[in-house]
Amino acid sequence: MSETPFLAPDGQTRCAWAGGAPEFLDYHDTEWGFPAGGDVRLFEKICLEGFQSGLSWRTILNKRPAFREVFAGFDFHRVAEFDEGDVERLLQDARIIRHRGKIEAAINNARRAVELVEERGSLAAYVWGFEPEPLKIPEVVATSPASVSLSKDLKKRGWRFVGPTTMYAFMQSMGIVNDHSLDCVIREKVEAERAAFVRP
């Protein structure tokens, strides 16, 4: 994020990145930073952030409907059953990112998610356990102590493509931190939802 706000067509300011592509404004205003507690939604985001590694979020956002279709709606119990035939099927699908390592990581991570739910009761209970104390002024950073801790613990559990930067982007987007800029019109709305959100 940048400190220079984006003046949206409605005349109100948003986080600077919201003006980076036409697709971003709706995503920024309705999804990014709003607290999420559903396991499938959280798993989807971890996977998509992994697929984004080295690419732009715009690319992933535009391919998200296809990703949802071919990855069984990111139902990790179903994805955990994918086999080598599914890997080959996915590698042939031009609608998604055809990267063997990332595809295999998503399937591996689905299996690890099943294990985590068996241990902790839900993926949400686990990831929200890494929620840090909120900052009064959001920082423009790529990682945080909380994202480093989450990354280390996931890697220890056998997850892949879950580095500290990837996990920080995940925490920002899922509302585990509110990184909307102070002059962004959506910040207070997100903060209100975070205040009302019942942590799992």
Side-chain angles (χ1 to χ4, degrees):
M1 292 191 315
S2 165
E3 294 178 344
T4 304
F6 164 61
L7 186 62
D10 62 6
Q12 295 183 299
T13 57
R14 307 295 203 282
C15 298
W17 66 264
E23 304 92 330
F24 286 174
L25 185 58
D26 181 66
Y27 173 72
H28 168 275
D29 285 3
T30 62
E31 291 188 55
W32 195 79
F34 289 89
D39 280 6
V40 169
R41 174 101 186 277
L42 293 164
F43 177 71
E44 173 187 279
K45 188 61 176 177
I46 290 175
C47 288
L48 293 180
E49 291 291 353
F51 274 102
Q52 185 196 348
S53 181
L55 302 169
S56 74
W57 177 243
R58 184 181 189 183
T59 297
I60 302 302
L61 191 59
N62 286 329
K63 291 179 179 289
R64 186 167 64 170
F67 271 113
R68 286 173 172 169
E69 179 185 331
V70 301
F71 276 100
F74 286 101
D75 177 342
F76 50 86
H77 289 93
R78 292 177 63 190
V79 178
E81 300 298 324
F82 282 17
D83 58 19
E84 185 57 35
D86 291 294
V87 173
E88 295 304 321
R89 167 180 63 85
L90 293 166
L91 283 170
Q92 299 304 315
D93 198 322
R95 298 174 300 159
I96 65 167
I97 306 300
R98 294 182 289 179
H99 183 291
R100 179 179 289 274
K102 293 177 179 180
I103 290 170
E104 290 178 343
I107 297 169
N108 167 77
N109 291 350
R111 295 168 183 158
R112 305 293 78 78
V114 171
E115 295 169 354
L116 196 49
V117 169
E118 289 172 354
E119 177 189 337
R120 294 294 184 89
S122 71
L123 185 57
Y126 170 77
V127 297
W128 277 93
F130 289 86
E131 180 185 13
E133 286 295 317
L135 298 172
K136 289 185 174 152
I137 300 175
E139 297 177 331
V140 184
V141 295
T143 65
S144 71
S147 79
V148 170
S149 295
L150 175 57
S151 172
K152 281 183 179 176
D153 197 68
L154 285 172
K155 286 178 179 177
K156 187 171 69 176
R157 293 169 180 276
W159 291 60
R160 302 178 199 158
F161 280 92
V162 289
T165 300
T166 298
M167 287 301 94
Y168 190 64
F170 164 76
M171 296 173 90
Q172 289 176 304
S173 62
M174 295 289 95
I176 299 171
V177 295
N178 182 4
D179 266 355
H180 282 275
S181 58
L182 293 179
D183 46 18
C184 175
V185 70
I186 303 299
R187 181 177 175 81
E188 286 189 13
K189 186 176 179 183
V190 164
E191 203 50 49
E193 289 210 14
R194 277 177 40 80
F197 180 71
V198 178
R199 271 64 174 169

